[in-house]
Amino acid sequence: MIKPAGLDELKWSAALASFRDAIGEEWVFISPEDTALYRDAYSPYWGEPEEILISAALAPANTAQVQEIVRIANQFSVPLYPVSTGKNLGYGGAAPNSIGDVVVDLKRMNRIIEVDDKRHYAIVEPGVSYFDLYNHIQSRGLNLMVDCPDTGWGSVIGNALDHGVGHTWGSYRDHFLSHCGMEVVLPDGELMRTGMGAMPGSKAFADFRYGYGPYVDGLFAQAGFGIVTQMGVHMMPQPEGWLQKRILVRRRHDLIPLVEITNHLENSGIVGEVIFESELFYRQPTDPALQQIARLADVWNGDAINAFAQKNDIAVWQVTLNFYGPEEVMEAQWRYAWNEVRKAIPDARQINGERAKFPLTAGQSASVMNKSLIGIPNLGAFSITAKNAFNPVEADGHLFISPILPRDGAEVLKAQQIFTEGLREIGADEMPIFGPFAQPFAFHPRAFLLAGFIPTSRSDPEVNRRARDVMRFLINLAAENGYGEYRASPFFQDQVMSAYSFNDNAYRRFCETLKDAVDPKGIIAPGRGGFWPSSRRRDGAQ
């Protein structure tokens, strides 16, 4: 039987008895069948001794029970790992940072406490998924749109706390930026509210995030300083309409002025999410000529790519602009955007994309391809890793490699070369992660994400060993060039935090100092974010 680190059988039995008294025996899960449900479904150590398996899971029903769980954990020195719904696939799922830790599963805490479509906010518990919030709004006919990530089954709170992102206006699709007010169980079981919530009787909990004094909310994201049991969320008013327009450019280096223009458009509040794509990226797996071009040593100058695109009448880059608002406003914004593009890239082309009016009809909801762009939670993103030209053998899962780049076209072209040539040097260029057609993602309002998928397996340890090696190599390569990961699986969080190494890792040392002050026993999520309590620091800082 797996036990938490440092606990003997007697102490562990006593802790379990106390947990059962606090939340009910049926909500304390210790059987192998139950605890297996909290494995990282995409673990790069599946079935190996290093795989992170838990000792137990606890499912409290309310904040008072969370407080009692934390108090008991302090009494018996039981490390806890809170999850909202545990759907963080590709970044660890529900698995903690250490074998034997106890998961606090908050799915039962699924109350939608308040939704206001005049002041445009919601207050929710951690078990509320994007599907839940969307259905609540739709069933009541509220004038709000949900900004949802690519997979809608995850928690609104959990996604924000891991710095997750969505697809509409920048101030909404940065989900931690759009949060407002928290209720948090601290590592000693004390209950705290942040922002205006710290004032009893405040009527602006979800309106003004700062309150008075230090702004501490960031301590509860990607860290182990407490368990968030409520959170306010600023929500987007339902617009009158949605309009998509696509711009196509002919040359590889057209990306540079295109990014400058779209930066101006988004930072001025004229467009929502900007989506960069390359048809060459999608054609490469099935086009031998394009595959040969991608392997050329001088592919980076763009000459061969441009010649191929011209011969086949293909745009090297396509950018999709998304507008939200009244019809006449969206059309005016598009005309302005298109004029700005033509000034810099005279031979750019434009084509119509999709459009919709709100409230949506059933037909509109069904017909839109990327439903997240119109606020409909879905699970369509899982098709990315299904069997296709990029994945001829369907993977059991994947690791996300997620380096953040400046939103600069020249930097994207440079990063493509750095990562592709790096993979070639270690003999891993068979992985279609980057390459000269890799597309930057503009989910984050002012930065690019050059994400890649590294396949994992439940049956082949060699695939997983390869995935781990490639992941570690890419994290280091990114750091050497000034690119840092913004999220990571537990197995790589120490390495990622170590890459943020300015002044002898002053950032990590500061986090450790705070951890020791507020959580001296290391109860809440030890190791989360790549820093550890003093009692386990030698094991954690790898």
Side-chain angles (χ1 to χ4, degrees):
M1 181 181 182
I2 298 173
K3 300 190 299 297
L7 269 69
D8 59 29
E9 194 69 48
L10 188 63
K11 194 173 183 180
W12 178 226
S13 296
L16 287 174
S18 296
F19 289 138
R20 292 184 180 109
D21 289 341
I23 66 173
E25 183 172 1
E26 68 270 36
W27 303 113
V28 177
F29 306 112
I30 61 170
S31 73
E33 293 79 14
D34 287 334
T35 57
L37 299 175
Y38 296 89
R39 297 171 76 173
D40 176 2
Y42 295 173
S43 175
Y45 280 100
W46 189 272
E48 298 181 56
E50 296 88 348
E51 184 184 1
I52 296 173
L53 302 177
I54 67 170
S55 56
L58 314 173
N62 52 53
T63 297
Q65 288 189 0
V66 175
Q67 290 182 269
E68 189 58 24
I69 285 171
V70 173
R71 293 187 186 110
I72 293 167
N74 272 277
Q75 179 185 351
F76 293 98
S77 297
V78 176
L80 304 174
Y81 186 78
V83 299
S84 298
T85 60
K87 304 295 189 184
N88 201 14
L89 298 181
Y91 293 113
N97 286 69
S98 296
I99 295 172
D101 287 3
V102 173
V103 167
V104 181
D105 184 344
L106 303 172
K107 280 197 288 289
R108 293 177 66 208
M109 297 177 59
N110 59 0
R111 289 187 305 149
I112 297 174
I113 296 165
E114 183 179 358
V115 180
D116 191 314
D117 67 348
K118 306 300 186 294
R119 285 151 59 194
H120 309 114
Y121 68 77
I123 302 174
V124 298
E125 291 185 327
V128 174
S129 71
Y130 287 92
F131 283 121
D132 295 332
L133 185 56
Y134 174 80
N135 290 335
H136 178 96
I137 289 168
Q138 293 301 306
S139 66
R140 290 160 177 77
L142 300 178
N143 187 35
L144 294 169
M145 175 183 278
V146 177
D147 186 286
C148 48
D150 286 322
T151 53
W153 63 351
S155 161
V156 174
I157 289 181
N159 186 267
L161 294 182
D162 206 26
H163 298 157
V165 284
H167 291 281
T168 62
W169 294 109
S171 59
Y172 297 106
R173 72 175 188 265
D174 182 336
H175 292 161
F176 192 77
L177 177 67
S178 68
H179 99 276
C180 186
M182 291 181 179
E183 179 183 87
V184 186
V185 175
L186 297 175
D188 61 357
E190 188 76 71
L191 190 64
M192 179 180 76
R193 286 188 174 178
T194 69
M196 295 305 297
M199 175 183 287
S202 169
K203 296 179 173 59
F205 177 94
D207 296 296
F208 183 66
R209 63 172 59 91
Y210 302 115
Y212 179 77
Y215 180 63
V216 300
D217 293 43
L219 295 175
F220 305 105
Q222 294 188 345
F225 292 115
I227 300 176
V228 178
T229 53
Q230 283 186 30
M231 191 174 78
V233 183
H234 287 169
M235 298 199 66
M236 180 175 168
Q238 181 174 266
E240 289 184 25
W242 164 65
L243 172 67
Q244 263 193 351
K245 293 285 186 174
R246 295 191 173 99
I247 297 168
L248 293 81
V249 296
R250 297 176 179 275
R251 293 167 293 274
R252 172 172 166 77
H253 285 79
D254 283 342
L255 182 67
I256 297 172
L258 193 60
V259 169
E260 290 179 3
I261 294 163
T262 54
N263 282 351
H264 171 73
L265 294 173
E266 181 167 3
N267 295 343
S268 300
I270 294 171
V271 301
E273 184 184 14
V274 178
I275 302 172
F276 292 86
E277 296 177 284
S278 173
E279 185 177 338
L280 304 180
F281 176 83
Y282 299 107
R283 286 185 59 152
Q284 180 184 352
T286 57
D287 191 319
L290 206 51
Q291 293 167 13
Q292 184 176 1
I293 289 172
R295 290 192 292 268
L296 294 174
D298 62 350
V299 66
W300 312 109
N301 66 27
D303 293 345
I305 293 174
N306 297 341
F308 179 91
Q310 183 175 3
K311 178 181 177 181
N312 293 276
D313 193 25
I314 298 172
V316 175
W317 295 104
Q318 170 184 290
V319 64
T320 302
L321 305 181
N322 291 282
F323 303 88
Y324 300 89
E327 185 79 22
E328 61 272 21
V329 173
M330 294 190 296
E331 291 290 350
Q333 289 171 323
W334 160 242
R335 286 195 298 272
Y336 175 81
W338 178 232
N339 285 334
E340 291 297 295
V341 171
R342 285 192 298 179
K343 289 177 189 177
I345 312 172
D347 59 352
R349 293 179 292 158
Q350 59 103 346
I351 57 176
N352 291 327
E354 298 179 277
R355 64 194 309 155
K357 289 186 177 182
F358 295 91
L360 298 169
T361 65
Q364 284 180 311
S365 299
S367 65
V368 171
M369 291 184 62
N370 186 345
K371 292 178 172 35
S372 297
L373 289 168
I374 54 172
I376 301 178
N378 61 91
L379 298 176
F382 286 109
S383 64
I384 294 172
T385 52
K387 186 175 181 180
N388 55 45
F390 292 95
N391 299 303
V393 178
E394 185 175 357
D396 291 326
H398 59 267
L399 298 172
F400 278 120
I401 178 75
S402 306
I404 293 291
L405 276 59
R407 198 181 282 198
D408 177 276
E411 197 69 40
V412 171
L413 302 181
K414 175 184 174 183
Q416 289 176 339
Q417 182 175 358
I418 288 169
F419 289 122
T420 303
E421 291 183 348
L423 287 170
R424 287 174 182 168
E425 287 175 10
I426 64 168
D429 57 333
E430 82 285 354
M431 290 190 176
I433 305 172
F434 297 111
F437 316 123
Q439 305 162 137
F441 296 96
F443 306 133
H444 299 276
R446 288 178 177 266
F448 274 142
L449 174 65
L450 200 65
F453 304 89
I454 303 174
T456 59
S457 174
R458 293 190 179 187
S459 59
D460 189 342
E462 180 58 26
V463 169
N464 290 335
R465 184 199 63 76
R466 183 73 160 158
R468 300 191 299 265
D469 289 347
V470 170
M471 185 72 173
R472 293 186 182 111
F473 170 79
L474 289 174
I475 291 171
N476 287 338
L477 181 63
E480 290 168 7
N481 290 277
Y483 312 137
E485 306 299 301
Y486 89 107
R487 294 164 91 174
S489 163
F491 290 108
F492 307 101
Q493 288 173 14
D494 293 328
Q495 182 184 0
V496 170
M497 176 57 97
S498 294
Y500 287 77
S501 59
F502 171 78
N503 191 22
D504 191 28
N505 295 97
Y507 177 39
R508 181 171 63 197
R509 289 186 285 110
F510 181 72
C511 292
E512 292 170 346
T513 299
L514 292 177
K515 183 68 171 174
D516 292 344
V518 302
D519 189 10
K521 292 187 176 181
I523 297 300
I524 306 295
R528 181 74 167 98
F531 61 93
W532 296 77
S534 58
S535 61
R536 302 173 68 174
R537 198 157 293 151
R538 180 172 295 178
D539 294 332
Q542 298 171 353

